[in-house]
Every structure is written in C-alpha cells, then in structure tokens.
Amino acid sequence: MTKKQSAARVWRALAWLAAVASVSAFQLSRPETAFAAGYYEGKTLTVVVGYKPGGGYDRYARLIGKYLPRHLPGNPTVIIQNMPGANSIIAANHVFSVAKPDGLTIGTFNNGLVIAQLTRVEGVKYDLTKLSWLGSAASDAAILALRSDLPFKTVADLRKAKEPIVIGATGPGSSTYDFPALLKEFAGLNLKLVSGYSSSADVMLAIERKEVDGRAGSYASILPYITNGLVRPLIRTRVRVPEIEKLPVDEDLATTPKGKALMAVRSAPEAIYRPFAAPPGVPADALKTLRDGFAAALRDKDLLAEAAKGKLPIDYVSAEEALKIVREVLSQPPDVAREIGKYIKFGD
Amino acid sequence: MFDSFIQGLWVIFEGRTFLMMGLGIILGFWVGLLPGLGGSTTLALMLPFVYKMSPVEAFAFLLGMHSVVSTTGDITSVLFGIPGEGTTAATIPDGHTMAKKGEAGRALGAVLMSSLIGALIGAFALALAVPVVRPLVLSFGSPELFMLAVVGIAFISSLSGQGTRALLRGVLAGLLGLLISLVGQDPQAGVQRFTFGQLYLWGGLDLVPVLVGLFAVPELVDLAVRGTSIAGELPKDNLASGVWLGIRDTFRHLGLTVRCSLIGTFIGIMPGLGGGVAQWIAYGHAVQSARNAEERERFGKGDVRGVLGPGAANNSKEGGSLIPTITFGVPGSSSMAILLGAFFLQGIVPGPDMLDKHLVLTFSMVWTMVVANVITVAISLVFLKQLARLTTVRGSILIPFIVFLAFIGSYTSNNHIGDLLVFLIFGLVGFSMIKCGWPRAPLVLGFVLGRIAENNFYISTVRYGSAWLARPMVLLLVVLTVVVVIYPFVRGAKGAAARAAEAA
C-alpha cells in the first residue's frame, strides 16, 4: 500500500466517524416531544437499584416495576438495573447526576443516604432535596428485641441488669448497630455490642444458639421470630406500626436532650424506608404522571396481594411527605451534624 | 419420615413439576457454561416467575437450575481456564492444565463424575441430617467458625510447593490474600480500609473479577504467545476413551472424592463460610492426599485428583448450604439468600416447620438436586465430544471469544467499570505470579477466608474474652490445624527417608 493510499484510507475512516457522530449527536439533541398522553408508549423505564439482586430493595423495585406500567400512560417496558456498591451511594450519584430527567429513569436506594448527606460522607455527590421524589413504598420501625427466655419484660427490667446484655450486630451504619449504640450511650442501658456478623439473619442464628442476648433491626424482619416466640420486642423507634404502638419509644428513654435529638435524626428516615426518586429537573407534567402512577401502583390490588404473600409491607408515603422528612433531617445545624457523625457511621 | 422421603421423590416426577425442573436444568446448563452469567444473578432474575407456581414446582425450577450450575461451570473452567462460576475456579489449576496437555476428555469425565458423586452425597447428607441438623448448626458458634477458617488457612502449607523457599512463597501469597480481604468498610469501627477514596471498594473486592483475572489472563497470554490451540500440538487423547478414563479415575480415587464431598457438605452447612471456600479447601485436601513429594509436585501440572476434589466439593456444598437456609432461614451462600426470597414469595417461613409440616417439600428439594444432576451429567457426557473439541480450535479464533467472556463475566459482578480494572489488575498479578513461580491457590484461600476469620475472631473475643479458647470443639480444631500444617512435612520426611533407604 502506498503512503497516499493509506492516507486516503485514514481520511475516509475519519469522514465516516464524523458522519456517524453528527447523526447520533442530532439524535441525542433532538428535543423530546411534548409530554403527551401516550408518552411512555414503546419506551423503556429503568429502575436503578443500589444493591445486588435478591435483597429487600431489589425485591421492592421488582415488585413495583412489575405493576407501575399499568398505571402510566402508554404502558412502558420496565427494566431493573442493579447498581450495587457503597451502600447505594453509587446508584444515588448516578440518578442525581448521570441519568437524564426525562421521566425514564427512577431509582431506589438506602434510606440512610440522607444521614450520609448530613454527615458529609466522602463520595456523596447527590443532594436529596433536589431529586424529583416519587415517595416511599413502605415505612418500618426499628426495634430492640431480646430472647424471650431472658427475664427482661420491660425497660425497667433492662435497667436492673447487672451483667451487660449482649447485642449482636452486623456493623456500624446499620440499624442493628446504631440503634442499640445510641440506647447504650444516651439511655443508660447496660448493653454490650458485638458486631461483625455477616447479615442480620446471622445475628438471629447467634441468638438462637445463645451466643448473644438480642438484636435490633427493622420490625418487619424480626417479626417472624417474635411470632414463633424466640424473641420479645422491648423498645421501638418513633415510626408508628400498629402492633407495637405500645412499646416505649427510644427518644423518651433518652436522659439528655442531645441523646433525644440524635435518636430522632437517626430514626427519621425509617418513615421513608423504601424511597423512590427520579433525577432532578424532571418537567412538572412528567413528574406528576410518574407520581400518580407510583401512588396508583401501590394501591393496585394485585400488587398488594403479591406483596402480602412475599411479606413485603406496603405503606405508601407521598412525595411531599418524603421530601419533608429529608429536609427535616438535613436542616440540622452544622455542629449537630458533626455530633451525629461521631455516633452514626454510614453503612448498610 | 421415610414415607415423606419417598413421597418427595414422587412429587418431582409429576407432570408440571418435572417440566419446571427440566426448564430449570436447561437454564442452569447455559448459565453454568457461560462465565458471563452468575448462578445467583440468574436465580434473582427468575424469582418473579415462581409467583404463580406451587412450592414444589417453584423449588424444582429454582433448585434444578441452581444445582447444575456448578457442574457445567466446571466444564468451562477445565476447557478455557476461566471459572464458569465463582465456585468452580479450583478445578482450573489441574483441570485446565490437563486440557492443555490434550487430556480434555479425561479431565471432563473426571469433573462430571465427581460432580455427580458430590451432588449425590450432598443431597443425601442433607436428607440424613434432617433430624440432627438444628443441634449441629447451633453447636457451631463464632469461636468454632473462626477455627474452621484457621483450618482452611492452614491448607496454605499444602498448597505451596516443596521446600522452604516454596513454602515461604506460599505463605506470602496467603498473606497477600488476607490483606486483599481487608479491603472495604470494616464491620467493627466502620472505618474504610484500603479504599483509596473509591466508592467501588467500600464493599470489598468481589470474588468473580479477582478469580477471572487471576486465572484467565495468564492463560490468554500463554495461548497467544504459543500461537496454537489450547491443546497445543500435542497428540490428543482419544476423546471417548479419555472420558472413560476420567470416569474410571473418579472411582479409582473414590475415597478422595467422597472425603471432598463431605468437606463440601460440611462447609455448606456452616452459615457464613459459603461462596468459594469449599472448593479450595477440597483442593488443599486433594494435594495433601499425595503420598510423597514427587506426587505432590504433580499437582498444578495436571493431576486428575486436583480436578476430582473441587469437582465434588462445589456440588456437594449446595446440598449442605440448603440446610441452614431451610431450617434457620440463614442463607449458607449468596444464591441461598436469593432462594430465601422464593420461600417468602411462596408464603413459607423457613424454620422448624420445614422439618415437620413441609417435610415432603424439603425432601423434594433433596431429590431435585439428585435428579437434576443425574440428567445434567448424562446430557454433558453426550455432548462432551463437541465440547472437548473446542480445545483443538486455533488460539487466534478462540482468544477474542474468551476475552469477551472474561470481560463480561467480570463486569456482571457489579456492572461497574471497577470490575474491569480489578480483572485487569489481578490478571497482571496472576501473570507475574506464574512468571516468578508463585502459587496462586494460597492467595485465593487467604482472600476467601480472611474476612470470615477476622469477624469471627472479633466476635469470639468480645463475647467470651479468652474463655472461647477452652471450648472443646475449638481445641479439637486447633489439633486439626496442627495436623494440617505438619502433615506435608511428615510425608516429605518419610518420602526422603524412603528414597535414602532405596539409594543405600
């Protein structure tokens, strides 16, 4: 091949590239058609999940992803995109700054992300107050539960404990750890925290073999073991769940205003336990369609039946309410935020 | 109890159930072969389909799929040197070397037969364990789990080569593995370790990209440099007789195959060990079974026993890991965690009920594993010729295909660009280790056991102080550790003495 020939080849290739690039650029920059009745027709809605397949967040996403199209104009195809890592910070960053605000991407991530934002955890690039919120699919209270064969029936019994009560936990940043850690520090309970179990199910097993005396965690996940008599719930957080409304609330046990405040902030996100939101800047009409669809899907009888069968509690919280909770947590003054950061590490 | 056992077998042969199991097997077959698709991811994707099935159908489908994944995953490991599944990497050091020597048929025959035996033993262990499983699992606390991890780590001594220098390299590789296992947020203080400000590293390194990099990249480079097919210019074994030879090998070393199946089952039963542990410990044990130094030298260079051990263990552990899943609701592995989701979808609460109210269902799971594996091994044997012929395809045609699979395989762990970087970095590590004559198995062992050892040590110490050291089972495991460590030396010394006697 002569030099001239090869040069011609290079130029031809470059010309091709330029042509392809300009056509695709045109495609990308084409303004979206006005939001109309059949907007979702033939389109694909992506639900970004901050965890691997199989966990709680993933199961909620798949359940809602299955019924959401019924309640959106044009019946889109829904795909679930698992984007695990950093307790879902990666997914939240993606939804916040990479995904387009065209109503075709929504995400679900750890409710504790709001704490991560408040305590300025490294790597946080999102601002939850700017997301286009759809709301939350469920709320859940954290509880402290102890083995039923132990002589603790009330908080008063707990206070009398001479030997430390051993609480199993996965690690800092999870409700299995932070909730009892604050109780120990600010409610004067004689607890000893043992962390490092690989999952909350493993902590449950440690309770069964009497390695630990009890655990904290979400009410929904401990419920089967309360039902079968292995553990007894003793303390709850502020979120109201009908069956355990009578239990004492952690904030009322706090002996100092600071402890009370910390407990309130820690448990606030539990009201939006399964949050769903779209990128910032989704046009108002598109956002309304999404929000209405989300709300309607969570009232869908088939969804409720499937959720009940799969033991996924459904407890819809509106977008406004969710955003209010996020703002409330983030409104803490910087010195309080720093203090919270000392006690609450972000984790899953 | 026996009635339920038999009834469990009948129910899986009922029309729809058997059909569902068949579908599961077909899916699992491909998922196992393709390194790009993980068994647990596929399980999660299939979950919505079980909503309308009856419990027996649902588990026939899911377990039918899941229990064959590690069988066909072994085939990929042997043929291409890429782990078809994260749990099938330990068949590479010897299995793929055999394929390179033109013995693909023999290696495949061995891996399939040992997989079948492993699956049978795992399933029957599960059936036998039903009455005693709760006390057994409950008797293993964190101190015992820690010691189990220590026993596993002790296998590093047998996975290293001969002599002080080789042992030192093995130990260093093991330490490197332990170091790598520390990456991520620690569960005691919530501190980030070795994450270098990267969100990707918070959760620690994933097993799959590490293994695929460590094993596939050196093979690819080797294949490219040699410029031939995987089986090279060597005379190929006659496939049909090669397969037969591999099957015979399995029975020739039946004791080893059974012991490794039991190791796999036991590790499966212990919640929290899971994942890639069983196959590597079994591999370590297979190496240890060598009678003398010369025999040990052959491991990693295509000894069929290095294929049989992990081949059996990664199948038998499935039966084992089902035990804590169904009796306590504590998943024995990541796939089992997803299977738990299926229990909830079916409205079944795992726990004591499984051993009593749902006993037929429990036994139908046992039978599903048995029948699915029999079918899979039979199908694989039929198509073995075509599969093994892949090793005679020219490297230049095969390489792009393998690179593609290795990339996809790594990328599907987190769907993150970091997966590819980890793959490349560990590819470089693996390549350098081969070049410098360092063993890779101890590194993997350290990596898979590091976190388990750390967490259980911490829990034991905080919970019991030093008192845990005096627990009877802990002491027993300490003795076992010592035996595992000194055994190779004793054998080595004996072998040397024997040779000296011969020379005299």
Side-chain angles (χ1 to χ4, degrees):
Chain A
M1 207 189 302
T2 66
K3 228 181 188 174
K4 206 172 168 189
Q5 266 173 325
S6 63
R9 273 198 168 187
V10 169
W11 280 115
R12 213 160 43 225
L14 283 178
W16 264 109
L17 271 180
V20 171
S22 52
V23 169
S24 38
F26 175 72
Q27 285 288 335
L28 290 174
S29 64
R30 206 173 43 161
E32 284 294 339
T33 43
F35 200 80
Y39 176 72
Y40 282 105
E41 187 135 14
K43 296 221 172 104
T44 302
L45 176 76
T46 305
V47 185
V48 176
V49 183
Y51 294 93
K52 287 189 177 188
Y57 286 95
D58 182 65
R59 287 173 65 206
Y60 271 98
R62 285 175 200 273
L63 179 71
I64 290 165
K66 185 168 160 189
Y67 291 96
L68 188 57
R70 280 191 194 178
H71 305 280
L72 290 176
N75 225 330
T77 309
V78 170
I79 58 166
I80 307 290
Q81 190 185 356
N82 294 92
M83 202 179 279
N87 301 314
S88 78
I89 290 184
I90 291 177
N93 285 345
H94 174 87
V95 170
F96 185 78
S97 51
V98 181
K100 272 187 278 174
D102 51 8
L104 295 178
T105 306
I106 60 175
T108 182
F109 19 72
N110 190 343
N111 57 63
L113 284 186
V114 58
I115 305 272
Q117 185 179 341
L118 175 70
T119 56
R120 296 171 190 275
V121 168
E122 200 189 326
V124 168
K125 302 254 175 355
Y126 58 80
D127 178 355
L128 292 178
T129 60
K130 295 208 175 97
L131 285 181
S132 306
W133 280 84
L134 306 188
S136 161
S139 57
D140 198 357
I143 59 166
L144 178 75
L146 298 182
R147 261 183 13 232
S148 323
D149 60 333
L150 296 172
F152 307 116
K153 293 204 172 63
T154 62
V155 173
D157 297 339
L158 284 179
R159 292 203 192 277
K160 272 181 258 160
K162 291 208 174 54
E163 294 284 304
I165 300 164
V166 184
I167 303 296
T170 54
S174 73
S175 61
T176 65
Y177 186 94
D178 296 341
F179 177 45
L182 292 184
L183 282 174
K184 179 186 164 151
E185 185 80 25
F186 297 106
L189 297 183
N190 189 5
L191 305 179
K192 177 158 129 181
L193 267 62
V194 176
S195 70
Y197 290 98
S198 48
S199 70
S200 54
D202 272 307
V203 184
M204 215 69 230
L205 184 61
I207 292 177
E208 234 168 300
R209 65 175 179 243
K210 300 191 164 58
E211 188 167 289
V212 298
D213 299 328
R215 67 169 273 216
S218 93
Y219 173 64
S221 67
I222 301 179
L223 180 59
Y225 302 93
I226 298 173
T227 316
N228 75 12
L230 180 67
V231 291
R232 177 188 295 138
L234 281 157
I235 301 173
R236 70 171 175 99
T237 53
R238 52 156 67 182
V239 176
R240 281 168 178 277
V241 179
E243 304 104 274
I244 51 164
E245 234 170 336
K246 291 216 175 78
L247 289 182
V249 177
D250 59 345
E251 290 166 43
D252 300 334
L253 302 175
T255 47
T256 62
K258 179 177 150 194
K260 197 180 168 92
L262 285 179
M263 287 175 186
V265 171
R266 195 210 66 80
S267 62
E270 286 166 6
I272 45 169
Y273 211 86
R274 306 293 178 184
F276 283 80
V282 173
D285 47 352
L287 184 56
K288 185 174 180 330
T289 310
L290 267 178
R291 281 179 173 171
D292 292 349
F294 182 72
L298 288 168
R299 279 193 300 267
D300 189 313
K301 282 204 176 58
D302 295 334
L303 179 142
L304 292 174
E306 192 168 335
K309 205 173 167 193
K311 300 232 177 343
L312 298 176
I314 298 289
D315 181 7
Y316 166 70
V317 177
S318 73
E320 293 77 22
E321 188 65 21
L323 195 54
K324 206 181 103 194
I325 290 165
V326 167
R327 290 224 169 92
E328 195 183 294
V329 173
L330 292 175
S331 67
Q332 308 297 324
D335 51 323
V336 180
R338 262 198 305 280
E339 198 63 19
I340 291 168
K342 271 191 218 160
Y343 291 97
I344 307 176
K345 297 274 183 294
F346 176 69
D348 63 344
Chain B
M1 169 90 93
F2 188 70
D3 287 347
S4 314
F5 184 64
I6 300 299
Q7 226 181 319
L9 176 61
W10 289 137
V11 292
I12 62 166
F13 282 108
E14 274 160 23
R16 262 177 65 93
T17 310
F18 193 71
L19 188 73
M20 288 303 147
M21 185 172 73
L23 277 177
I25 292 173
I26 295 170
L27 264 170
F29 200 96
W30 287 108
V31 167
L33 277 184
L34 295 175
L37 281 168
S40 49
T41 309
T42 318
L43 266 186
L45 291 176
M46 291 301 132
L47 270 191
F49 294 101
V50 305
Y51 177 60
K52 291 226 155 61
M53 298 182 196
S54 76
V56 175
E57 285 165 12
F59 289 109
F61 174 64
L62 294 176
L63 278 177
M65 176 169 80
H66 183 63
S67 59
V68 305
V69 161
S70 40
T71 307
T72 54
D74 276 330
I75 297 180
T76 311
S77 298
V78 167
L79 287 180
F80 303 115
I82 314 177
E85 292 289 312
T87 54
T88 62
T91 39
I92 293 177
D94 283 291
H96 186 57
T97 316
M98 285 174 76
K100 279 201 285 194
K101 290 200 299 193
E103 291 186 320
R106 183 177 172 195
L108 289 176
V111 90
L112 285 173
M113 198 30 89
S114 61
S115 289
L116 182 60
I117 291 178
L120 295 182
I121 291 181
F124 283 108
L126 167 59
L128 286 176
V130 161
V132 292
V133 61
R134 286 182 64 87
L136 177 71
V137 174
L138 289 179
S139 69
F140 268 76
S142 298
E144 287 79 15
L145 287 176
F146 166 69
M147 279 313 299
L148 270 183
V150 171
V151 174
I153 291 171
F155 272 104
I156 286 174
S157 70
S158 53
L159 290 178
S160 319
Q162 289 290 312
T164 332
R165 197 182 155 87
L167 187 67
L168 186 67
R169 285 176 171 176
V171 170
L172 286 176
L175 285 177
L176 182 64
L178 288 174
L179 199 67
I180 294 164
S181 77
L182 295 180
V183 174
Q185 189 175 32
D186 90 293
Q188 279 79 42
V191 178
Q192 305 290 346
R193 296 185 297 203
F194 306 117
T195 51
F196 311 106
Q198 295 299 311
L199 288 175
Y200 171 78
L201 292 173
W202 275 32
L205 287 167
D206 230 63
L207 184 64
V208 173
V210 170
L211 285 184
V212 173
L214 214 47
F215 288 99
V217 169
E219 289 313 327
L220 284 165
V221 174
D222 182 52
L223 194 58
V225 170
R226 284 190 299 145
T228 61
S229 64
I230 289 178
E233 305 300 333
L234 293 157
K236 279 112 209 138
D237 61 351
N238 182 331
L239 271 177
S241 66
V243 171
W244 186 233
L245 191 60
I247 294 175
R248 279 222 316 260
D249 283 328
T250 314
F251 291 101
R252 216 149 46 83
H253 301 288
L254 192 62
L256 177 72
T257 312
V258 170
R259 284 199 306 277
C260 288
S261 302
L262 293 176
I263 290 176
T265 311
F266 185 70
I267 289 172
I269 292 178
M270 290 304 141
L273 292 182
V277 177
Q279 50 165 353
W280 288 103
I281 304 236
Y283 184 67
H285 176 67
V287 175
Q288 228 177 20
S289 72
R291 273 180 292 269
N292 54 43
E294 286 150 59
E295 246 186 65
R296 263 190 64 192
E297 278 298 296
R298 267 187 273 162
F299 276 89
K301 291 173 190 147
D303 192 305
V304 75
R305 284 172 292 177
V307 180
L308 294 171
N314 62 18
N315 279 65
S316 66
K317 88 163 207 312
E318 297 304 331
S321 62
L322 202 57
I323 293 179
T325 315
I326 61 177
T327 56
F328 292 98
V330 178
S333 64
S334 58
S335 313
M336 288 298 145
I338 294 163
L339 205 68
L340 265 186
F343 276 92
F344 289 123
L345 275 181
Q346 289 291 336
I348 296 172
V349 181
D353 277 358
M354 295 301 298
L355 306 180
D356 147 19
K357 214 164 77 193
H358 304 301
L359 195 57
V360 174
L361 175 64
T362 303
F363 281 126
S364 83
M365 296 185 189
V366 175
W367 284 114
T368 299
M369 286 198 234
V370 172
V371 175
N373 265 290
V374 171
I375 294 176
T376 306
V377 169
I379 297 175
S380 308
L381 285 174
V382 172
F383 289 109
L384 218 51
K385 235 181 196 165
Q386 283 80 356
L387 288 172
R389 213 172 274 156
L390 285 171
T391 58
T392 62
V393 175
R394 199 146 40 84
S396 53
I397 296 171
L398 219 46
I399 289 172
F401 180 67
I402 301 181
V403 169
F404 177 72
L405 287 181
F407 262 73
I408 298 282
S410 306
Y411 188 67
T412 46
S413 336
N414 293 298
N415 299 325
H416 192 284
I417 191 79
D419 292 332
L420 295 182
L421 281 174
V422 170
F423 161 76
L424 289 173
I425 290 169
F426 278 90
L428 198 66
V429 171
F431 180 70
S432 324
M433 287 178 86
I434 293 268
K435 273 271 161 235
C436 309
W438 285 52
R440 289 172 292 178
L443 187 151
V444 179
L445 206 57
F447 175 54
V448 294
L449 287 170
R451 215 158 235 227
I452 298 165
E454 184 200 346
N455 284 346
N456 284 298
F457 177 71
Y458 180 84
I459 293 171
S460 306
T461 314
V462 171
R463 173 65 182 86
Y464 302 105
S466 58
W468 64 268
L469 284 163
R471 288 159 71 114
M473 186 61 86
V474 169
L475 292 175
L476 201 70
L477 290 166
V478 169
V479 173
L480 187 58
T481 309
V482 174
V483 170
V484 167
V485 171
I486 62 168
Y487 191 70
F489 298 104
V490 174
R491 277 232 153 136
K494 251 192 194 164
R499 274 194 301 278
E502 254 170 57

